Amino acid sequence: MTTEGERTTTPADAPGVARRTAKRALVGRLSWGLADQAASSVSNFVVGVYVARSLGVTAFGVFSLAWVTYGVVLNVSRGLATDPLVVRFSGVPDASWRGAVARSSGTALGVGAAIGAVCLVVGLGLGGRVGLAFAALGLTMPGLLLQDAWRFSFFAAGTGRKAFVNDVVWGVALVPALMVAARVGSVAAFVLAWGASATVAAGYGYIQSGIRPRLTEARGWLREQRDLGYRYLVENVSLSGASQLRAYGLGAIVGVGAVGAVRGAELLLGPFLAVLMGLSLVTVPEAARVLRQAPHRLGRFCLLLGGGQAAAALLWGGALLLMPDRLGQFVLGGVWHSASQLIVPVTLAVTGAGLGTGAAAGLRALGAARRSLRSQLFASACYVSGGLGGAAVAGTVGSAWGVAAATVSGSAVWWLHLRSALRERHLNSIPEVRTS
């Protein structure tokens, strides 16, 4: 017997209640993923715009070389430290999570210290604007990687709110740091401002978690996670390494200013890229849930995921084409003129990347590591050859169109591999029929 106004749930209602609860949980995870990436991307966008307006296209190209180098090192750290953490220690008991985070964050810190030392030595040896920028990057690399490790640790624990707060702290610390860098007026000063503010957020991550990174246990972590870590390392570095090779090659073939123009065009896509990267924090876990609960829906889920992101990229690019020159000059200053010529090919490249992420999420959820690695290596090879081949033929614009064609081709390969993986899984799930 129930009292008046009390609602009961019948067995027939239970599936509906469970679905609504699951949807609310999904929305919550997506919301914090998007909020965190928005905070991170806003900081990066502000730094890029501030440097572009303050120093001009050539100096912005130097800053961009340091930026893409950080991207490669970040993916090394993620492949070895935080990707295995997210896969194996999401939703586990707190004691297990804390021990894994201590070892994982120690690994990220060790990667930052080791590669940061190399950047520092190489930068001091090179000298000039480029050398000083790399030296500044080397000094701040440990803090940059540790801050990123805290973000993924919090998402593994299901506390995306803490990751969001940590990125907000980075953004707040960035404001006075940029003001000091503007007074100095050099590329190295801006790199230091960006990295030092990240180090502040990394220190706050220690306060949030109460976990001390165990640098001495990094070797043990690498040994324990070698079956996943090294595969993720190759996948991650092939993507970011391709971006770095394209940037270095473009600078050598056309000039450093061309690197700044490409980076300026990518900045215009910044708000959309924030959504794309925010979703990437949760797409693989959600695809895995679909595979467990309704495996026949995985292909459709991936298609909706990739198609939705591709459509959103096209809409954003179309809006950029309608942006008045005065507004573009206000945002990017002198970089606007060269960057505006690249909006169409850069938009198509991001559209192809968005479409491919749907297939990539499906392959990871299926555990099709071999197919995933093949797809990524093919896409990376196309990216480098298209970007540098286009640059040799038609300069900066040719490089942008070459990358667009390469990204769309790479996306097609991702989807071909997903279709094959789904077919294999379907065939393997069909029970053998005995005829005797």
Side-chain angles (χ1 to χ4, degrees):
M1 180 176 181
T2 60
T3 59
E4 184 178 356
E6 183 179 349
R7 182 179 176 180
T8 61
T9 301
T10 66
D13 294 333
V17 174
R19 283 194 295 269
R20 287 193 294 271
T21 302
K23 288 181 180 179
R24 283 196 296 269
L26 171 60
V27 170
R29 291 190 295 270
L30 288 173
S31 298
W32 282 119
L34 290 173
D36 171 70
Q37 190 57 52
S40 177
S41 296
V42 165
S43 297
N44 293 339
F45 180 77
V46 168
V47 171
V49 169
Y50 206 81
V51 175
R53 288 179 55 83
S54 301
L55 301 180
V57 66
T58 301
F60 186 56
V62 175
F63 181 85
S64 298
L65 289 177
W67 188 286
V68 297
T69 302
Y70 158 72
V72 174
V73 180
L74 180 65
N75 278 299
V76 171
S77 175
R78 288 179 176 177
L80 295 176
T82 52
D83 282 349
L85 174 76
V86 171
V87 170
R88 287 183 166 155
F89 295 92
S90 293
V92 299
D94 185 66
S96 178
W97 173 82
R98 292 179 69 86
V101 169
R103 301 193 302 278
S104 172
S105 59
T107 303
L109 192 59
V111 171
I115 301 182
V118 174
C119 288
L120 178 61
V121 171
V122 171
L124 292 177
L126 286 174
R129 285 195 295 186
V130 174
L132 290 177
F134 274 82
L137 179 65
L139 288 173
T140 58
M141 190 69 79
L144 284 163
L145 298 190
L146 182 58
Q147 191 275 337
D148 186 74
W150 291 131
R151 293 176 64 210
F152 280 80
S153 298
F154 293 140
F155 275 106
T159 54
R161 177 181 58 83
K162 290 185 177 181
F164 169 73
V165 171
N166 193 274
D167 272 321
V168 170
V169 169
W170 184 2
V172 171
L174 187 61
V175 174
L178 285 179
M179 294 175 65
V180 174
R183 288 176 175 267
V184 177
S186 69
V187 179
F190 280 101
V191 175
L192 278 175
W194 170 57
S197 55
T199 303
V200 171
Y204 183 66
Y206 168 73
I207 296 174
Q208 287 178 293
S209 63
I211 299 173
R212 180 173 59 85
R214 297 176 185 172
L215 184 60
T216 56
E217 296 189 19
R219 182 177 298 180
W221 174 262
L222 293 175
R223 185 171 56 252
E224 293 169 11
Q225 310 301 327
R226 62 181 177 272
D227 58 324
L228 292 181
Y230 294 117
R231 176 170 60 85
Y232 290 151
L233 173 65
V234 174
E235 285 192 29
N236 292 351
V237 173
S238 66
L239 176 61
S240 56
S243 177
Q244 187 178 28
L245 288 174
R246 186 254 184 137
Y248 288 165
L250 183 61
I253 295 171
V254 184
V256 177
V259 182
V262 171
R263 176 60 185 159
E266 292 172 347
L267 276 175
L268 296 173
L269 273 294
F272 171 76
L273 292 174
V275 174
L276 183 66
M277 289 184 287
L279 288 174
S280 69
L281 294 171
V282 293
T283 49
V284 176
E286 295 309 320
R289 288 187 179 91
V290 172
L291 181 63
R292 288 195 301 268
Q293 298 170 5
H296 62 284
R297 295 180 180 174
L298 179 62
R300 184 173 63 179
F301 171 82
C302 294
L303 184 60
L304 289 173
L305 178 66
Q309 292 177 93
L314 288 174
L315 289 174
W316 186 265
L320 290 177
L321 291 174
L322 301 176
M323 187 166 65
D325 285 340
R326 285 185 297 178
L327 180 57
Q329 291 170 357
F330 173 79
V331 174
L332 293 180
V335 180
W336 164 252
H337 177 70
S338 53
S340 62
Q341 302 175 36
L342 309 179
I343 290 176
V344 173
V346 169
T347 297
L348 292 177
V350 174
T351 300
L355 185 62
T357 56
L363 285 174
R364 284 218 169 181
L366 287 166
R370 186 174 300 175
R371 290 188 177 278
S372 177
L373 183 57
R374 287 176 182 173
S375 301
Q376 186 58 70
L377 291 176
F378 176 84
S380 298
C382 287
Y383 184 92
V384 173
S385 58
L388 298 186
V393 173
T396 309
V397 175
S399 178
W401 278 107
V403 166
T407 306
V408 173
S409 300
S411 178
V413 170
W414 277 105
W415 279 101
L416 288 173
H417 274 288
L418 176 62
R419 186 179 68 172
S420 298
L422 289 171
R423 185 185 297 117
E424 288 175 359
R425 187 180 190 281
H426 176 68
L427 292 176
N428 292 335
S429 64
I430 296 176
E432 181 182 357
V433 179
R434 293 187 176 272
T435 58
S436 62

